[in-house]
């Protein structure tokens, strides 16, 4: 897979000046998670800039005719990327701060709405991505209009109390391929065992950090087939030396799964 610039498979959409104006008005009210250009010269100051790593994930270059699910979409970076490649995309995330999987000692006292950044981004981009406010724990084919040709989950599972339940739900939703990317433990990966480090009392609401073998085993255990590591890379995160080690896993949906 090439490490070049991210692919443009569709012509740029006309700029919706009213939507861009609304984006500018609400721009400073959003604590942006993703860095992405939403209008010419208007780039969100996200915590993570995924743009240099897009080709590391192995998304199909042409997703025309595919139905795709983005699990834990936040502000929609991957949902919009898959839509640019031709897919019809459903973006899944919870609607309230208190619905996040907080460790008890880190749970904030206040609640608040989530999804404002996604809405501003979708309007500015003229996107047709459908955002569904639901936890992956509660996601079923019946609730999301059927199964998906591609299920994408990027940097989400380490933040969930029950990543195995989430993987099982994704297996039930997947009629084609899974692309999973997440942080892994370099230290545990040198051991000849399938292991995961418990991180529930650390900052950033990170519950688990599995080894490479641990991730592959978890995906297989959930019911996926043909599980393999597509690649590894270090994702830069602020001033963290060396970045955050990520593994990208590709897998096939459970045998017998059909879309519809």
């Amino acid at each position: 897979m090439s490490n070049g610039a991210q692919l443009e498979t569709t012509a740029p959409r006309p700029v919706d000046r009213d939507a861009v104006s609304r984006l500018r008005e609400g721009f400073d009210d959003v604590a942006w998670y993703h860095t992405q250009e939403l209008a010419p010269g208007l780039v969100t100051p996200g915590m993570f800039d995924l743009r240099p790593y897009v080709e590391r994930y192995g998304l199909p270059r042409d997703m025309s005719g595919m139905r795709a699910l983005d699990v834990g979409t936040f502000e929609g970076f991957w949902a919009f990327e898959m839509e640019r490649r031709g897919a019809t995309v459903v973006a899944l995330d919870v609607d309230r701060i208190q619905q996040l999987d907080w460790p008890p000692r880190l749970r904030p006292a206040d609640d608040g709405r989530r999804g404002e950044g996604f809405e501003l981004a979708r309007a500015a981009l003229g996107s047709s991505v459908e955002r569904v406010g639901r936890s992956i724990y509660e996601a079923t084919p019946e609730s999301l209009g059927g199964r998906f040709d591609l299920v994408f989950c990027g940097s989400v599972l380490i933040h969930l109390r029950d990543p195995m339940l989430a993987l099982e739900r994704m297996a039930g939703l997947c009629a084609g391929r899974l692309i999973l990317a997440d942080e892994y433990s370099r230290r545990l990966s040198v051991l000849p065992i399938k292991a995961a480090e418990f991180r529930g009392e650390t900052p950033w609401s990170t519950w688990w950090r599995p080894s490479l073998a641990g991730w592959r085993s978890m995906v297989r255990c959930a019911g996926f087939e043909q599980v393999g590591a597509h690649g590894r890379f270090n994702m830069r995160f602020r001033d963290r030396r060396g970045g955050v080690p990520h593994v990208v896993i590709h897998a096939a949906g459970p045998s017998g799964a059909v879309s519809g």
Side-chain angles (χ1 to χ4, degrees), residues 113-250:
R113 183 170 173 267
R114 299 179 74 248
E116 297 95 330
F118 180 94
E119 293 167 1
L120 289 169
R122 178 173 56 186
L125 293 170
S127 170
S128 298
V129 170
E130 177 189 4
R131 185 186 185 280
V132 175
R134 183 171 292 118
S135 166
I136 183 60
Y137 297 150
E138 301 165 346
T140 63
E142 294 74 21
S143 65
L144 296 179
R147 293 182 171 87
F148 296 84
D149 301 299
L150 191 147
V151 174
F152 182 92
C153 183
S155 303
V156 173
L157 294 188
I158 62 168
H159 301 297
L160 297 186
R161 184 195 308 263
D162 194 342
M164 279 307 309
L165 177 58
L167 281 167
E168 289 177 33
R169 293 291 183 262
M170 284 188 269
L173 291 162
C174 185
R177 299 290 294 177
L178 168 74
I179 297 180
L180 170 71
D182 224 316
E183 184 179 356
Y184 72 93
S185 170
R186 288 193 184 100
R187 180 176 59 182
L188 294 180
S189 294
V190 302
L191 301 176
I193 59 173
K194 304 174 182 72
E197 177 186 2
F198 178 71
R199 305 273 294 173
E201 292 188 297
T202 59
W204 306 111
S205 301
T206 299
W207 284 94
W208 310 98
R209 190 161 57 187
S211 66
L212 292 170
W215 275 124
R216 291 193 296 268
S217 182
M218 290 165 65
V219 173
R220 283 194 298 269
C221 181
F224 288 96
E225 301 179 344
Q226 302 172 30
V227 179
H230 177 77
R232 288 178 280 168
F233 64 96
N234 289 329
M235 181 184 293
R236 294 186 62 185
F237 172 51
R238 294 180 174 173
D239 296 326
R240 180 164 171 176
R241 182 176 298 177
V244 180
H246 271 60
V247 61
V248 179
I249 292 175
H250 285 197

Side-chain angles (χ1 to χ4, degrees), residues 92-112:
L92 192 71
D93 214 329
V94 295
D95 285 336
R96 309 292 303 182
I97 291 174
Q98 288 294 333
Q99 290 177 298
L100 293 167
D101 246 358
W102 295 99
R105 292 183 182 276
L106 298 179
R107 182 175 294 277
D110 299 329
D111 197 6

Side-chain angles (χ1 to χ4, degrees), residues 5-172:
Q6 69 186 63
L7 181 72
E8 294 289 348
T9 60
T10 59
R13 298 184 180 91
V15 175
D16 184 333
R17 298 189 183 280
D18 289 338
V20 172
S21 178
R22 291 193 297 273
L23 170 63
R24 292 185 186 277
E25 290 175 2
F27 196 80
D28 294 333
D29 297 329
V30 176
W32 297 99
Y33 185 77
H34 290 141
T35 298
Q36 50 186 329
E37 186 171 19
L38 301 181
L42 188 57
V43 179
T44 60
M47 184 182 301
F48 286 95
D49 188 354
L50 301 174
R51 295 174 296 173
Y53 308 106
V54 168
E55 296 306 317
R56 300 276 192 168
Y57 288 74
L59 284 170
R61 289 184 172 273
D62 185 357
M63 297 181 67
S64 300
M66 297 179 69
R67 186 168 187 256
L69 176 68
D70 179 23
V71 178
T73 194
F74 222 105
E75 291 140 17
F77 179 91
W78 290 110
F80 302 138
E81 178 64 30
M82 291 190 287
E83 184 183 44
R84 276 192 289 271
R85 294 173 185 237
T88 300
V89 184
V90 173
L92 192 71
D93 214 329
V94 295
D95 285 336
R96 309 292 303 182
I97 291 174
Q98 288 294 333
Q99 290 177 298
L100 293 167
D101 246 358
W102 295 99
R105 292 183 182 276
L106 298 179
R107 182 175 294 277
D110 299 329
D111 197 6
R113 183 170 173 267
R114 299 179 74 248
E116 297 95 330
F118 180 94
E119 293 167 1
L120 289 169
R122 178 173 56 186
L125 293 170
S127 170
S128 298
V129 170
E130 177 189 4
R131 185 186 185 280
V132 175
R134 183 171 292 118
S135 166
I136 183 60
Y137 297 150
E138 301 165 346
T140 63
E142 294 74 21
S143 65
L144 296 179
R147 293 182 171 87
F148 296 84
D149 301 299
L150 191 147
V151 174
F152 182 92
C153 183
S155 303
V156 173
L157 294 188
I158 62 168
H159 301 297
L160 297 186
R161 184 195 308 263
D162 194 342
M164 279 307 309
L165 177 58
L167 281 167
E168 289 177 33
R169 293 291 183 262
M170 284 188 269

